[in-house]
Structures are given as structure tokens and as C-alpha cells.
Amino acid sequence: MTVDKMPDYLRIHWQDMRSQLLLGTYQPQPVKRVAIPKPGGGTRNLGVPTVLDRFIQQAILQVLQKRWDPTFSEHSYGFRPGRSAHQAIRAAQKHIAQGHRIVVDMDLEKFFDRVNHDLLMERVARRITDKRMLKLLRSFLNAGVMENGLVGPTDEGTPQGGPLSPLLSNIMLDDLDRELERRGHRFARYADDCNIYVKSRRAGERVMESIGRYLSAKLKLTINKGKSAVARPSERKFLGFSFTIGKTPKRRIAPQALLRYKERVRETTRSAKGMDIKRTIEKLAPYLIGWRGYFGHCETPTVLERLDQWTRRRLRSVMWRQWKQGHRRFAELTKRGVSRNVAAQTAGSAHGPWRLSNSPALAIALPNAYFAAMGLPPLTAQRPA
């Protein structure tokens, strides 16, 4: 069932569904397994509930989150109203500036897939006494998963894809937050991404070891040793950002995020063969605007300026390829204000499109203002203070 068909369905069936919910007999349908690519490679498995189950989960969420969110740790930033990844990054930056210059960067091994249902429901039961609601939440956890037309059981995990999953994950990891607070640690957690800041590498190794034991014993969770490390913050990334070395650390974009940006732009422009440049920029613009909205919070603006230059150079290279033949290239260059002599030299050059995209001729023919007029959003504009 699609979302637009749900209102008509509810007009007919809502009273029956309501009775099932009140009696505690409502049975959710299996979630649909959907694999999406992860930014760092590999895939992430989502479990997407049916439209009706999402509707009911959302109704539950709107009541429970209002009650439970105020009880969570101030150091938890993920999936919470009024909180954001940028706040988590600034908190981490503050810890580093105060002298805690070693980070214990912990990545939990397949957290959303491996949450223990009994431990989770035990923590939920501390907050809910209505047995019907407890039964309903347990039934969502145990609804099963459909993959390639076959339904399999789900005896662990809170599948990402449903409205309740983020709240349930925060309930589970609130125990970790409280343990870190009890030990007096400086930390910032966003979902299952937790960074603890200490003053020495030796202290960091001890914390990594002891917290690993705590997670295993109390929450039946494990640290992904391949993705976790004790290191200087400049050597690690946290929510797409890293930090400069120095007395006053600055937020900078992590190298992996820069590589992903360039790959996305390459992918979009590669598929633009024969496409009008304005249409190519229209396809690219939403990504650039979203990327700027998130990574514009960096404090190293020269990186954004270089990315702007690189993006325009990529588009010049695309246009040069589209002009193809020497006579067409010569005509386009002269039409756009390049002298006949320079145009002839450039059009007849044996250098490839990328090399020529940085040439004086293309800078004259396709200036920055040309791309701005085409609607290319600059990464350096409208950056937050």
C-alpha cells in the first residue's frame, strides 16, 4: 500500500485496527529488507515497515519521545528534537580545546542489527507499565523481515527504517551514556558513534578496553576493532569532520568526505554526456546545497574555495568534451571573447580536457560568473558563522 492510499483504507478499517490495538492483538507485518550504500563503502540494511505500521509507530513515537527525551543524557545528540550533529561536533571541539587531545573513537559492531531484544525491553519496561504497549513494541521487534519474497525471523536488532528505531536505540545506549558520566569522561555520542576525549594515549587505551568490557557484559554489544581507534582527533573523523592540530582546534572537513564529494560530482558530470550544461547544473545543485548546509560549518574556508574551483573546472572539462571537434571549439572560444590566436592554440592543443579546463582560454570563455548565471550554488556562500 502506498502512502496516498492509506487515508481511504483507514476510513474503512480504523475501528477494527483501533480495537486490536486496545485489546493488544494487533500484529505488525514483516519489514522489507532494503540495502543502501554506505558513504565509506559497503551497504547498510534497512528494515522498512508497511505504511500502516509506520503510521502506528509514528503515533507511538510522538507520545513516548515527548516523555522520554528530557531524561536522556546531555551528551547524546542523535535522533533527538532540537539536537544535531553540528552540536555534537562543537561539543567534541570544546573537549579538545580544554586539553583532552586524545580521542577514543568507538564504532559499535552492527549496532542496529544486534541489539538484544530482552535487554532493550527490560529498559523499556522501566518506563512503561501498560502491558499492551509493551506487547506491541515487542511485536514490532519480532515482526520478521522479508527479503527476496521470503520472510525470516528477527530475534535481535532494531531495524533502521522505522520511526521507532532511533528512540529505541537511544534507550539502549542511555546506559552507556550514564556509565561514561559516572566515570567522569568527556564525550559526545551521536547514535552509535561515540567519541570519548582523554588527556593521554595510555588513558585512552585503558578506556577503550574497559568500556569494551562494559558493553559486552552489560549490553551484549561489541566494539568494531577495525573501525575504532585511540588517536589524535586530527587523525580521525567524527560525523564527517576532523579537527586541526593546535592550541585552538578548528573544525575541518574529513578527507573521506572530500573524496566522496568529488566522486559524486564526477558521477553526475560523467552521466551528462550530450546534456545541456544548465540541465547538468540543475542535477548537481541540490547535492551542492545540501553539502554546503552540512559541511559549511567547517572553519577552514579555503577548502571550500578550492572545491568551488575544482567543481567549475570539472564543468569546463565537460563542456570542452561536448564541443568535440577543433572547429567547434575554436568557434565557441572566439564567440565567448577569446582572441583568435589563443583560441586556435587551445582548440588545436593535444592536451586532454582536464588539463585544458585550467587554461586561460577556458577561464575567459567560461568565467565564474557564467556558472553563477547558470545556477551553480557556491560552497563558500551563506556559510554559518
Side-chain angles (χ1 to χ4, degrees):
M1 184 189 301
T2 56
V3 172
D4 58 345
K5 293 180 180 178
M6 187 177 68
D8 289 337
Y9 181 90
L10 290 176
R11 288 187 190 98
I12 299 170
H13 299 283
W14 172 244
Q15 288 303 322
D16 183 48
M17 291 176 60
R18 180 176 182 274
S19 296
Q20 291 178 36
L21 289 166
L22 290 172
L23 291 171
T25 60
Y26 181 83
Q27 184 58 50
Q29 297 298 306
V31 299
K32 181 180 180 180
R33 174 73 75 215
V34 178
I36 61 171
K38 295 172 71 172
T43 58
R44 174 179 286 114
N45 287 326
L46 302 185
V48 182
T50 65
V51 169
L52 290 174
D53 287 341
R54 288 206 302 275
F55 171 72
I56 293 170
Q57 284 194 31
Q58 183 63 34
I60 295 170
L61 175 69
Q62 288 176 198
V63 174
L64 298 187
Q65 188 162 54
K66 190 183 298 183
R67 296 179 182 179
W68 293 356
D69 190 78
T71 70
F72 291 148
S73 167
E74 64 177 306
H75 305 290
S76 164
Y77 296 90
F79 310 130
R80 298 184 61 189
R83 291 187 158 242
S84 68
H86 292 137
Q87 291 175 336
I89 294 159
R90 286 195 290 271
Q93 185 178 12
K94 180 180 177 181
H95 296 325
I96 299 166
Q98 290 174 343
H100 296 76
R101 296 181 177 270
I102 295 294
V103 61
V104 181
D105 184 359
M106 293 194 313
D107 181 273
L108 298 182
E109 183 85 39
K110 295 184 178 179
F111 168 72
F112 286 94
D113 296 331
R114 295 184 177 174
V115 168
N116 182 281
H117 287 177
D118 291 336
L119 291 178
L120 174 58
M121 289 306 300
E122 177 190 329
R123 282 150 181 78
V124 171
R126 296 172 190 169
R127 300 165 180 260
I128 292 178
T129 56
D130 191 324
K131 292 183 179 180
R132 294 169 301 176
M133 179 58 73
L134 292 173
K135 183 179 178 182
L136 181 59
L137 291 174
R138 170 75 79 163
S139 68
F140 276 120
L141 293 174
N142 295 337
V145 59
M146 178 180 288
E147 190 169 12
N148 299 322
L150 299 175
V151 177
T154 48
D155 50 12
E156 63 178 0
T158 59
Q160 290 175 278
L164 276 173
S165 183
L167 178 63
L168 294 177
S169 70
N170 275 332
I171 291 172
M172 190 71 173
L173 291 177
D174 191 54
D175 279 29
L176 171 62
D177 296 339
R178 300 308 177 187
E179 179 66 16
L180 293 174
E181 289 174 352
R182 188 185 68 79
R183 298 185 185 192
H185 288 310
R186 309 286 186 99
F187 71 99
R189 182 179 66 79
Y190 191 95
D192 58 336
D193 199 347
C194 184
N195 276 11
I196 307 167
Y197 295 88
V198 296
K199 291 189 173 181
S200 71
R201 193 174 294 270
R202 188 174 178 182
E205 298 289 355
R206 286 199 304 269
V207 169
M208 179 73 84
E209 183 66 27
S210 63
I211 294 299
R213 288 196 302 269
Y214 170 83
L215 288 167
S216 177
K218 299 294 185 180
L219 302 180
K220 294 188 179 179
L221 297 171
T222 58
I223 293 174
N224 185 330
K225 294 184 179 180
K227 293 183 178 179
S228 304
V230 176
R232 294 191 179 279
S234 59
E235 300 168 358
R236 305 295 293 176
K237 66 179 178 68
F238 182 47
L239 304 174
F241 286 84
S242 184
F243 301 94
T244 60
I245 300 171
K247 188 174 181 180
T248 306
K250 293 184 177 180
R251 299 185 298 272
R252 66 183 180 96
I253 304 168
Q256 301 93 322
L258 296 174
L259 291 174
R260 286 198 297 271
Y261 171 88
K262 289 188 175 183
E263 184 51 40
R264 178 64 178 269
V265 173
R266 287 191 190 101
E267 180 184 324
T268 303
T269 53
R270 263 198 301 265
S271 63
K273 293 179 180 178
M275 186 184 294
D276 177 77
I277 194 66
K278 186 172 179 61
R279 176 65 184 133
T280 301
I281 290 173
E282 287 173 355
K283 287 181 64 178
L284 202 55
Y287 176 72
L288 299 187
I289 292 170
W291 200 91
R292 181 181 70 196
Y294 187 78
F295 288 105
H297 285 251
C298 77
E299 296 174 311
T300 51
T302 54
V303 175
L304 298 177
E305 292 166 7
R306 288 198 295 269
L307 281 181
D308 269 337
Q309 294 167 3
W310 181 89
T311 304
R312 289 190 294 265
R313 186 176 174 185
R314 179 74 188 175
L315 291 170
R316 291 186 183 107
S317 175
V318 168
M319 293 188 70
W320 188 251
R321 284 193 180 92
Q322 290 180 347
W323 291 343
K324 293 183 180 179
Q325 303 299 323
H327 63 86
R328 167 81 187 280
R329 290 170 171 173
F330 176 80
E332 291 286 353
L333 291 174
T334 54
K335 181 175 71 175
R336 296 164 187 267
V338 180
S339 70
R340 293 178 64 84
N341 185 42
V342 173
Q345 290 178 5
T346 306
S349 173
H351 293 306
W354 181 248
R355 173 81 173 268
L356 290 173
S357 66
N358 205 32
S359 66
L362 265 70
I364 295 170
L366 302 170
N368 297 355
Y370 170 81
F371 294 110
M374 290 288 107
L376 182 70
L379 299 178
T380 47
Q382 302 176 17
R383 291 192 303 109

